Amino acid sequence: MEEQFILRVPPNVAERIERLLNENNASSSEDKSLDLQFSDDGRSGTFVIGDEHFPASLLDLPAVVESYKTYDDNSLVKTADIGQMIMVRESGDAAPDVIEYRHGLTPPMRDARKRRFRREPDLNPELVSRVEKDLLKIIAGGTAENIDILSSSEQEGGENARGANKKPAATSASKNDVPETHTNAGDADRSDSDDSDDSV
């Protein structure tokens, strides 16, 4: 796989780059060189075309973009997964204050981070660290702290015990209302199945 990135430039710079790439003899062009230099932080830099310098920023894309190449206009071969974009700005434009670009590359991915992805949960850092310590203690064979296991078990047990007391009372009352019927009251060792098995 190749290493690739997206280079997004202003329209006037795009025309100059296209003209430079389409010319057979690059030495006849006024834009004889392209250069990209980054500062020590690795996120900001300068894009140079000819004698002009443009500020550039390295931004992470909200989603991975696959790139393909074809040799016969029939079959595609995947060449890379692209996750970053170099955005070249005009000299007066403000630098982005985030490292992740808000939008994707196509119109349906506009404001993709907000519209298409789940929000990160709002977690209390103290709670997370306490749960992490408890899990490590449990894994090591100890017991967890700061929890009351018996209170939830007692509540469930109490409800089950109350329900259990009510059920036998209801069934005993229903047994008293309905008289018992015996089909084979006279013969103690005969069953209903003996009556139906006359073919033997």
Side-chain angles (χ1 to χ4, degrees), residues 6 9 40 44 50 60 77 82 88 100 108 130 145 148 153 158 165 180 189:
I6 305 290
V9 295
D40 293 336
S44 60
D60 296 336
V77 178
I82 303 172
V88 178
E100 184 178 56
R130 191 175 72 209
E145 296 177 2
D148 190 10
S153 300
N165 290 339
E180 293 183 15
D189 50 5

Side-chain angles (χ1 to χ4, degrees), residues 165-186:
N165 290 339
K166 291 178 185 176
K167 288 179 185 174
T171 55
S172 63
S174 63
K175 283 185 179 179
N176 293 337
D177 295 341
V178 179
E180 293 183 15
T181 58
H182 294 288
T183 56
N184 298 329

Side-chain angles (χ1 to χ4, degrees), residues 15-199:
E15 291 172 4
R16 292 169 68 181
I17 292 173
E18 187 175 2
R19 191 170 55 241
L20 178 66
L21 294 175
N22 288 336
E23 288 182 359
N24 292 334
N25 188 4
S27 62
S28 66
S29 174
E30 61 203 31
D31 303 325
K32 296 179 182 172
S33 65
L34 288 175
D35 192 20
L36 185 61
Q37 300 168 349
F38 281 98
S39 61
D40 293 336
D41 66 352
R43 289 283 175 176
S44 60
T46 305
F47 180 75
V48 180
I49 180 168
D51 295 333
E52 289 191 60
H53 297 266
F54 296 93
S57 299
L58 179 66
L59 301 172
D60 296 336
L61 292 172
V64 174
V65 178
E66 296 178 347
S67 69
Y68 293 88
K69 130 186 340 183
T70 181
Y71 295 105
D72 58 357
D73 292 331
N74 193 9
S75 59
L76 298 173
V77 178
K78 182 179 174 181
T79 57
D81 287 326
I82 303 172
Q84 292 182 320
M85 170 179 65
I86 297 176
M87 179 175 283
V88 178
R89 311 179 302 278
E90 293 288 345
S91 299
D93 293 346
D97 56 347
V98 294
I99 61 170
E100 184 178 56
Y101 191 57
R102 183 177 169 188
H103 310 295
L105 298 177
T106 58
M109 291 294 287
R110 180 162 187 79
D111 206 10
R113 177 59 63 192
K114 186 175 181 183
R115 288 178 39 220
R116 295 188 177 261
F117 299 114
R118 183 176 44 182
R119 246 185 72 220
E120 291 183 10
D122 297 329
L123 296 176
N124 184 359
E126 293 177 10
L127 176 66
V128 172
S129 65
R130 191 175 72 209
V131 169
E132 182 181 10
K133 287 177 186 175
D134 288 344
L135 285 175
L136 290 175
K137 285 181 183 179
I138 291 171
I139 290 171
T143 59
E145 296 177 2
N146 302 324
I147 59 171
D148 190 10
I149 297 173
L150 296 177
S151 65
S152 61
S153 300
E154 289 173 354
Q155 288 175 352
E156 292 174 5
E159 290 173 4
N160 291 340
R162 283 190 295 253
N165 290 339
K166 291 178 185 176
K167 288 179 185 174
T171 55
S172 63
S174 63
K175 283 185 179 179
N176 293 337
D177 295 341
V178 179
E180 293 183 15
T181 58
H182 294 288
T183 56
N184 298 329
D187 300 330
D189 50 5
R190 255 182 103 183
S191 67
D192 291 336
S193 62
D194 291 339
D195 293 333
S196 63
D197 195 18
D198 293 333
S199 62

